[in-house]
Amino acid sequence: MILTVTLNTALDITYRVGALRPHTSHRVSDVTERPGGKGVNVARVLAALGHETTVTGFVGGATGAVVRERLAETTGVREALLPVAGATRRTIAVVDELTGDTTQLNEPGPQIAPAEWGAFLDHYEELLVGASAVALCGSLPPGVPVGAYAGLVKAARAAAVPVLLDTSGEPLRRGVAARPDLVKPNADELAELTGSHDPSRATQDARRRGARAVVASLGPQGLLALTPEGCWRALPPTREHGNPTGAGDATVAALLSAQVEQLPWPTRLTRAAALSAATVRSPAAGEFDHGTYERLLGQVTVTGVSSVA
């Protein structure tokens, strides 16, 4: 079982409009609602890849009830969310059908009380038993300590469960220091962590700060991986237009599934780049077309890099 942690779960709502123009009214052509938050998206992709997955985090209020109901309908995903007094947030994605671009609006999430956080720590340690890997994903809701991910990384390591961290800002900085097996920042998150806008130097710095391996998502420039086994770049075939909301989450799912399957790094990166591109083409985060994914697998280029200095 793969465990995904989404402390700031959400109900993802996607609107499609013919063309998005500021200061005007829009007629929405299509609306979709999905359980969301980065770890939830990761779990859906993992389930579609054939991996048994458990989702945990916080959930509350009427929005949270919808999230739980929808997750119960998701094949291959077991819901183990912890109820809290506050209401689960919503995220709004507005897709411009003319350009293919997406505008994202994210609510902050519920206030988590100290007792609720303490209850989650106990819940998390119970779920680690029997887990083959764990993904710690996304933002922290108000009230959760900024060093929360560092503590969750340490708990996973103590339980001998491989742990992937995908967050940003101060939670990422503190989490990296706890020595996760893998971190997956995007270019902006990596630059904020290290102070360098050169991805090659920044990935080296991120490893020095504690991460065992670093896979940086660089948008159209693909992926850059620095690992104990070597360094690689993975380039997608073309720039994809569509909904990029879940592209990074698909990358996490691909890397985690390939780690559990003990695949070599070039194969992991090929899967990650192809799956990320296939997810962009999907109308909703956490979904992809298997035919598109299989076709893109043969179009990804992975090359070894002798040095990232």
Side-chain angles (χ1 to χ4, degrees), residues 70-125:
R70 296 293 176 86
L71 278 175
E73 301 168 354
T74 306
T75 302
V77 175
R78 181 172 78 91
E79 181 259 303
L81 296 167
L82 191 70
V84 294
T88 296
R89 67 188 178 128
R90 297 162 297 178
T91 70
I92 310 296
V94 183
V95 179
D96 185 323
E97 294 179 326
L98 180 64
T99 65
D101 294 331
T102 300
T103 299
Q104 189 80 14
L105 304 173
N106 297 328
E107 295 180 356
Q111 180 75 32
I112 304 301
E116 291 172 332
W117 175 240
F120 177 80
L121 292 176
D122 293 337
H123 182 59
Y124 172 72
E125 291 192 359

Side-chain angles (χ1 to χ4, degrees), residues 5-298:
V5 176
T6 311
L7 296 177
N8 213 1
T9 53
L11 180 66
D12 287 345
I13 303 170
T14 302
Y15 295 138
R16 301 185 71 88
V17 299
L20 183 61
R21 298 185 179 90
H23 315 300
T24 64
S25 297
H26 296 78
R27 193 172 297 277
V28 176
S29 61
D30 183 65
V31 182
T32 59
E33 288 186 353
R34 300 286 189 280
K38 293 178 72 62
V40 174
N41 295 337
V42 170
R44 279 206 303 273
V45 176
L46 284 168
L49 291 171
H51 288 272
E52 179 186 350
T53 308
T54 296
V55 170
T56 193
F58 296 112
V59 68
T63 303
V66 175
V67 168
R68 300 188 84 166
E69 179 183 335
R70 296 293 176 86
L71 278 175
E73 301 168 354
T74 306
T75 302
V77 175
R78 181 172 78 91
E79 181 259 303
L81 296 167
L82 191 70
V84 294
T88 296
R89 67 188 178 128
R90 297 162 297 178
T91 70
I92 310 296
V94 183
V95 179
D96 185 323
E97 294 179 326
L98 180 64
T99 65
D101 294 331
T102 300
T103 299
Q104 189 80 14
L105 304 173
N106 297 328
E107 295 180 356
Q111 180 75 32
I112 304 301
E116 291 172 332
W117 175 240
F120 177 80
L121 292 176
D122 293 337
H123 182 59
Y124 172 72
E125 291 192 359
E126 291 174 2
L127 290 171
L128 284 174
V129 178
S132 57
V134 58
L136 308 174
C137 304
S139 62
L140 302 179
V144 172
V146 71
Y149 282 132
L152 298 183
V153 168
K154 291 175 182 177
R157 288 177 57 83
V161 177
V163 55
L164 183 155
L165 177 61
D166 182 20
T167 187
S168 60
E170 186 66 12
L172 174 60
R173 189 184 70 80
R174 297 197 187 191
V176 165
R179 305 186 66 80
D181 294 274
L182 174 62
V183 294
K184 192 224 64 69
N186 61 32
D188 290 339
E189 292 163 351
L190 187 62
E192 184 180 9
L193 172 66
T194 65
S196 173
H197 290 275
D198 178 348
S200 296
R201 295 185 181 277
T203 51
Q204 281 191 324
D205 189 3
R207 278 205 71 202
R208 283 193 293 267
R209 289 169 182 260
R212 185 170 187 271
V214 181
V215 176
S217 296
L218 305 178
Q221 284 72 50
L223 303 171
L224 174 62
L226 181 60
T227 81
E229 289 78 28
C231 181
W232 292 270
R233 289 183 183 270
L235 294 177
T238 58
R239 181 177 181 180
E240 301 294 335
H241 292 281
N243 182 4
T245 305
D249 305 329
T251 300
V252 169
L255 293 170
L256 207 57
S257 65
Q259 176 173 344
V260 169
E261 295 169 31
Q262 299 183 336
L263 299 178
W265 271 104
T267 305
R268 298 186 196 189
L269 297 171
T270 298
R271 177 181 290 186
L275 197 54
S276 176
T279 303
V280 169
R281 294 188 180 185
S282 174
E287 298 181 358
F288 65 96
D289 176 74
H290 282 268
T292 300
Y293 165 57
E294 294 291 340
R295 176 172 54 80
L296 291 172
L297 276 173

